[in-house]
């Protein structure tokens, strides 16, 4: 993948209506990747998880939001800590998006990017 870096803000580089801010707190499910949109991954990186923080940031900037379809394609796996998190690291989100773009399969994409440590599995692996 080709990548450019710049100190400029995405708000200055792209029209607001082209930006989709990915946040696990969004009510909107990302159903497909639109090549005409700009997806913000890890728009806010923090050592701890603050619920709704990225969603509030996107709303303050009047941006469209979406979340990965983890709940729609995966199930909570039983585990000793009863731990389940839809918050992923930037590289995991990138893996999900790039795999989906190549395969057009959310199950394949989520298998590629969501580690079992997050407490979610695809239904066909839930019993294993």
């Amino acid at each position: 993948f080709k990548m450019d870096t710049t100190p400029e803000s995405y708000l200055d580089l792209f029209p607001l209506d082209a930006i989709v801010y990915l946040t696990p707190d969004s009510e909107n499910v990302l159903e497909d990747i639109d090549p005409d949109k700009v997806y913000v991954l890890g728009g806010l990186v923090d050592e701890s998880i603050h619920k709704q923080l990225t969603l509030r940031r996107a709303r303050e900037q009047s941006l469209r939001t979406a979340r990965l379809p983890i709940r729609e394609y995966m199930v909570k796996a039983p585990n000793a800590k009863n731990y389940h998190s839809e918050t992923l690291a930037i590289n995991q989100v990138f893996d999900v998006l790039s795999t989906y773009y190549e395969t057009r399969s959310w199950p394949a994409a989520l298998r590629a990017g969501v580690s079992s440590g997050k407490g979610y599995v695809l239904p066909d692996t839930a019993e294993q």
Side-chain angles (χ1 to χ4, degrees):
F1 294 94
K2 182 181 177 199
M3 185 182 309
D4 291 322
T5 61
T6 178
E8 295 176 80
S9 169
Y10 53 86
L11 297 171
D12 297 327
L13 294 172
F14 305 102
L16 290 182
D17 62 349
I19 300 172
V20 179
Y21 199 110
L22 297 178
T23 170
D25 299 312
S26 179
E27 296 173 5
N28 306 314
V29 178
L30 184 64
E31 295 179 15
D32 198 8
I33 296 174
D34 181 345
D36 294 325
K37 299 292 183 195
V38 175
Y39 296 90
V40 176
L41 318 183
L44 177 66
V45 178
D46 195 285
E47 292 298 319
S48 59
I49 297 170
H50 298 281
K51 288 298 271 175
Q52 306 287 319
L53 189 58
T54 53
L55 182 62
R56 282 195 308 271
R57 169 79 51 89
R59 286 181 176 161
E60 288 168 2
Q61 297 171 343
S62 301
L63 299 175
R64 179 177 309 136
T65 64
R67 64 174 173 79
L68 296 176
I70 294 172
R71 286 179 242 158
E72 287 69 23
Y73 289 91
M74 302 185 90
V75 295
K76 290 182 178 182
N79 60 64
K81 295 182 179 179
N82 195 30
Y83 175 78
H84 303 93
S85 176
E86 295 177 47
T87 302
L88 305 178
I90 293 170
N91 62 306
Q92 292 171 314
V93 176
F94 184 82
D95 288 346
V96 170
L97 294 175
S98 61
T99 302
Y100 176 78
Y101 194 75
E102 291 172 11
T103 65
R104 292 299 194 228
S105 166
W106 282 117
L110 294 167
R111 183 179 287 116
V114 180
S115 71
S116 60
K118 291 293 179 176
Y120 284 91
V121 295
L122 292 168
D124 61 345
T125 59
E127 299 300 319
Q128 298 175 3

